[in-house]
Amino acid sequence: MLEIWGRRTSSNVQALMWCIGELGLPYKRHDVGHIYGGNDTPEFLVMNPNGTVPVLRDGDYEPLWETGAILRYLADRYGTPAFWPKDSVARARVDKWAEWSKLNIAMAFTQPIFWKVVRTAPSKQDPAAIQAAIAHLDHFLDIAEVQLSRGSYISGDTFTLADIQFGHVLFRYFDIPITRQDRPCLRRYYDALTARPAFREHVMVDYEELRVVD
């Protein structure tokens, strides 16, 4: 059984748990981090000296940290060839979009936009900075819109690990009160994700515990 340390409101934990759900793997998860604490204890720091979540342990193997590395490990060990191809060229195509999504979508949304809208008190918010961050993200969402016009999923016509990295922030993107451009292919893609049981269970999670108010 997989054992995971990380609170369910962490976007990185959500990506991991969504992947586990799609792969149908048994697991036990511990709420760690933010209001739950526990990520600065000696026991936790032995597993991950960075003090970050998620951390995964698979049986007697050493603990793994860094979400991208964990996701690739699970995909390689437990995923189907469609989800994580065995052919190096096909796998690189999926990995290319997975890395692109992490660097240009998740990182451009979570801290510069979600944190500034939800995890910052309204009196301390900077609307101009938020709008600038949205404009920066929009450039990459335009790239995604073109890519999604060519196939059902971000790396083609098959659901893959790249969709975990790309899609796990979309619930919050569409849920928070920000300006969004009309992108029909992205909206169609997101609506399809919301029909997946693992996405609904692990990604469409209430985030009110993260909200900061005046």
Side-chain angles (χ1 to χ4, degrees):
M1 178 180 290
L2 301 176
E3 194 165 7
I4 301 97
W5 288 262
R7 57 183 170 83
R8 68 194 304 260
T9 54
S10 159
S11 60
N12 285 330
V13 174
Q14 289 175 357
L16 169 56
M17 297 308 302
W18 180 20
C19 181
I20 289 172
E22 293 287 350
L23 297 178
L25 303 174
Y27 68 88
K28 179 179 181 181
R29 185 185 58 80
H30 309 278
D31 275 321
V32 170
H34 191 50
I35 63 174
Y36 303 96
N39 55 320
D40 58 354
T41 65
E43 294 79 11
F44 186 88
L45 294 173
V46 166
M47 294 191 297
N48 181 3
N50 302 288
T52 55
V53 296
V55 172
L56 177 137
R57 185 188 289 275
D58 186 0
D60 294 328
Y61 296 111
E62 69 176 73
L64 295 177
W65 33 270
E66 294 300 335
T67 308
I70 298 173
L71 291 175
R72 286 190 292 273
Y73 165 78
L74 292 176
D76 188 63
R77 187 167 190 194
Y78 298 108
T80 65
F83 184 72
W84 186 244
K86 303 304 179 186
D87 174 75
S88 59
V89 175
R91 186 172 62 249
R93 185 181 307 115
V94 172
D95 203 20
K96 171 185 71 176
W97 284 105
E99 281 294 294
W100 177 86
S101 298
K102 179 183 71 176
L103 294 172
N104 300 300
I105 302 297
M107 292 182 66
F109 171 75
T110 300
Q111 291 192 17
I113 301 174
F114 181 77
W115 282 34
K116 301 304 182 183
V117 171
V118 175
R119 301 187 66 173
T120 302
S123 64
K124 297 180 180 178
Q125 291 180 9
D126 184 343
I130 293 171
Q131 198 55 47
I134 293 171
H136 176 73
L137 177 65
D138 278 342
H139 167 71
F140 297 105
L141 289 179
D142 286 342
I143 294 173
E145 179 73 6
V146 172
Q147 176 66 5
L148 289 169
S149 73
R150 299 168 176 160
S152 299
Y153 297 99
I154 196 63
S155 66
D157 288 320
T158 304
F159 182 85
T160 69
L161 182 67
D163 295 293
I164 303 288
Q165 289 281 43
F166 176 61
H168 78 276
V169 300
L170 291 183
F171 167 65
R172 293 178 176 182
Y173 171 76
F174 280 105
D175 196 60
I176 63 175
I178 59 173
T179 302
R180 287 178 290 271
Q181 296 183 21
D182 182 30
R183 296 184 179 89
C185 294
L186 180 65
R187 185 74 215 198
R188 179 263 306 159
Y189 171 79
Y190 172 67
D191 288 344
L193 294 184
T194 65
R196 304 183 75 90
F199 185 87
R200 293 199 304 270
E201 179 180 358
H202 298 294
V203 178
M204 300 180 73
V205 173
D206 186 286
Y207 50 80
E208 282 305 303
E209 70 181 33
L210 303 177
R211 190 177 300 279
V212 175
V213 296
D214 286 320

